[in-house]
Amino acid sequence: MNIYENSELYSQIYNMSNLILAWRKARKHKTKKPYVIEFEKDLERNLLKLHEELKSQIYFPKPLITFILRDPKTRRISKSAFRDRIIHHAVIRIIEPIFDKIFIYDSCANRKGKGNLFAVKRFDKFKRKITNNLHSEAFCLKADIKHYFDEVNHEILLKIIRRRIKDEKVILLIKKILNNYYSKSGKGMPLGNLTSQFFANVYLNELDYFVKHKLKAKYYIRYVDDFVILHKNKEQLKIWKVEIEKFLKEKLKLELHQEKSKIISLSRGIDFVGFRNFYYYKLLRKRNIKNMKNKIRLLRDNKISYEKFIDSFQGWVAYAKWADSYNTIENLINKMI
């Protein structure tokens, strides 16, 4: 592995050109938000202030605003101030290329050109290969890491980052971002931060390498903290599950969610990235359909704008079409008429 000892790495983060590009990314689809409008009232001054704070290393993020989101799963979301989101984009723009090149091909979340539909396509491809084009039985270890974002160990994460980045000023900035979130001492990252999404992949890249290179599992896909391994032999998956549990506990201080981590026959359908994936077809998860029904109800009650709803609905339809869901889509369209 190449080690990045570039002393200019930190200056690349606070470079005004990088901050301007980071601001543009942070404001995308949010130009009408009051906090964006307020920041842009004196845009040049505010960006210069961030530049100077970073350059002199006196930058500190503002306290997070935390709220509960039910969709319908209850999640605690922590929202950063807009100025801090610009910093997050500035950091990721510089360090992401360093790490992305070492991520495995089938790490699918929060990466350019990838995502949940990419993960579904890979699952379909692996399913056909492992079952001799759907002519034989195979199994899947479907696993989920328990309370993942709240359990990420800062010390271990920084140790992993330091393998690639030797610029201590960059490390100190990352520490400030991590320490801005309080859940447990030295643990946790806030759901909602761009940096959290990126560091989630950096942390679990260790698991990816273990599964691919140590266990030699050929048909493995990970989407954030949700992963699958396909194999013809159920007993082999049982052995790998034990090995993975041991690795997570010893190396990353994590554990599998026992209720959500099981070995299942592919014929029963595998719940992965929003679909129930069967041999010959796939269905939308009931939760996804319920979410859209809730949004239609909000539209009817004038609680969301028509423009906002249409943006959401069009994205949902593009996603839903990957399932055998023609009747479901038609039924929801009829509800809107």
Side-chain angles (χ1 to χ4, degrees):
M1 286 187 181
N2 293 325
I3 302 296
Y4 288 79
E5 307 221 26
N6 187 348
S7 60
E8 299 300 311
L9 206 59
Y10 186 70
S11 63
Q12 288 178 45
I13 291 172
Y14 69 72
N15 180 283
M16 275 303 294
S17 295
N18 187 48
L19 287 176
I20 289 167
L21 289 169
W23 156 68
R24 286 176 180 162
K25 288 228 172 201
R27 78 192 293 269
K28 197 172 181 181
H29 306 305
K30 296 178 176 67
T31 53
K32 294 180 181 178
K33 296 285 186 182
Y35 55 79
V36 176
I37 293 168
E38 184 63 31
F39 186 89
E40 293 178 358
K41 280 180 181 176
D42 200 346
L43 178 62
E44 186 177 349
R45 179 178 166 277
N46 285 327
L47 286 177
L48 279 169
K49 190 170 187 291
L50 285 178
H51 168 79
E52 290 301 327
E53 285 182 17
L54 287 170
K55 187 176 180 180
S56 57
Q57 292 185 272
I58 60 169
Y59 164 79
F60 278 94
K62 292 186 176 183
L64 298 165
I65 297 170
T66 300
F67 58 95
I68 303 299
L69 184 67
R70 293 179 177 88
D71 63 343
K73 184 179 177 182
T74 300
R75 293 182 295 165
R76 188 177 65 182
I77 307 294
S78 296
K79 197 174 181 180
S80 294
F82 183 66
R83 71 190 298 271
D84 297 324
R85 284 183 245 172
I86 294 172
I87 300 297
H88 298 168
H89 279 281
V91 171
I92 299 306
R93 284 196 77 259
I94 300 305
I95 71 171
E96 184 178 37
I98 295 169
F99 288 92
D100 192 73
K101 64 180 68 173
I102 65 162
F103 291 160
I104 67 166
Y105 187 73
D106 291 307
S107 167
C108 302
N110 308 308
R111 296 179 67 195
K112 290 173 187 174
K114 303 208 171 175
N116 49 13
L117 294 181
F118 176 86
V120 166
K121 289 179 188 177
R122 293 296 284 173
F123 187 93
D124 285 346
K125 184 175 181 178
F126 290 172
K127 178 180 67 178
R128 289 186 173 275
K129 283 193 172 185
I130 204 71
T131 60
N132 299 314
N133 206 23
L134 310 179
H135 286 104
S136 60
E137 186 180 29
F139 299 89
C140 176
L141 167 58
K142 165 70 174 67
D144 185 281
I145 295 170
K146 188 177 181 181
H147 303 148
Y148 175 51
F149 280 86
D150 270 342
E151 293 298 325
V152 169
N153 183 291
H154 293 182
E155 186 180 342
I156 295 171
L157 174 60
L158 289 166
K159 186 178 179 182
I160 294 166
I161 292 170
R162 276 195 168 102
R163 290 187 209 146
R164 291 265 150 190
I165 295 174
K166 293 296 182 180
D167 188 334
E168 280 301 316
K169 290 180 180 178
V170 177
I171 299 295
L172 181 59
L173 178 56
I174 291 170
K175 276 184 180 179
K176 288 177 181 179
I177 293 168
L178 290 172
N179 291 339
N180 194 39
Y181 177 69
Y182 177 81
S183 61
K184 299 173 186 175
S185 180
K187 283 185 182 182
M189 301 189 299
L191 280 172
N193 270 9
L194 174 70
T195 47
S196 299
Q197 296 168 16
F198 174 71
F199 293 141
N201 276 341
V202 172
Y203 202 75
L204 284 183
N205 187 53
E206 303 296 299
L207 172 66
D208 298 342
Y209 271 60
F210 176 76
V211 173
K212 294 293 289 183
H213 301 296
K214 184 74 175 178
L215 300 184
K216 308 285 187 190
K218 194 172 181 181
Y219 302 117
Y220 165 80
I221 310 165
R222 182 176 61 79
Y223 191 91
V224 195
D225 59 337
D226 197 6
F227 65 89
V228 293
I229 307 176
L230 280 63
H231 202 278
K232 290 181 179 180
N233 190 322
K234 189 175 184 179
E235 296 307 311
Q236 180 63 73
L237 289 175
K238 287 180 181 178
I239 294 167
W240 283 348
K241 183 172 183 279
V242 172
E243 290 294 313
I244 288 168
E245 286 174 326
K246 184 181 177 185
F247 174 84
L248 287 172
K249 185 177 180 180
E250 292 179 358
K251 302 296 183 181
L252 299 177
K253 310 299 181 191
L254 299 171
E255 58 181 290
L256 293 182
H257 195 301
Q258 290 306 314
E259 290 179 12
K260 297 180 181 178
S261 302
K262 297 176 181 178
I263 296 162
I264 308 163
S265 170
L266 286 176
S267 62
R268 285 179 54 195
I270 309 301
D271 194 343
F272 185 53
V273 290
F275 299 100
R276 288 184 66 206
N277 299 270
F278 295 88
Y279 262 64
Y280 301 103
Y281 61 95
K282 61 177 66 69
L283 299 175
L284 279 171
R285 290 174 68 183
K286 290 179 182 178
R287 191 171 80 191
N288 287 350
I289 299 167
K290 187 177 179 181
N291 283 351
M292 187 46 63
K293 285 180 178 178
N294 287 338
K295 286 181 181 177
I296 291 171
R297 199 174 297 116
L298 290 173
L299 178 68
R300 281 177 170 173
D301 295 340
N302 295 315
K303 291 183 178 177
I304 57 171
S305 69
Y306 180 75
E307 290 77 14
K308 185 175 181 180
F309 172 79
I310 287 299
D311 281 348
S312 177
F313 186 71
Q314 286 175 340
W316 182 84
V317 169
Y319 175 77
K321 281 181 177 176
W322 283 88
D324 295 87
S325 57
Y326 177 81
N327 289 338
T328 301
I329 295 170
E330 286 297 303
N331 287 337
L332 286 177
I333 290 172
N334 289 334
K335 285 180 183 292
M336 293 162 53
I337 297 170

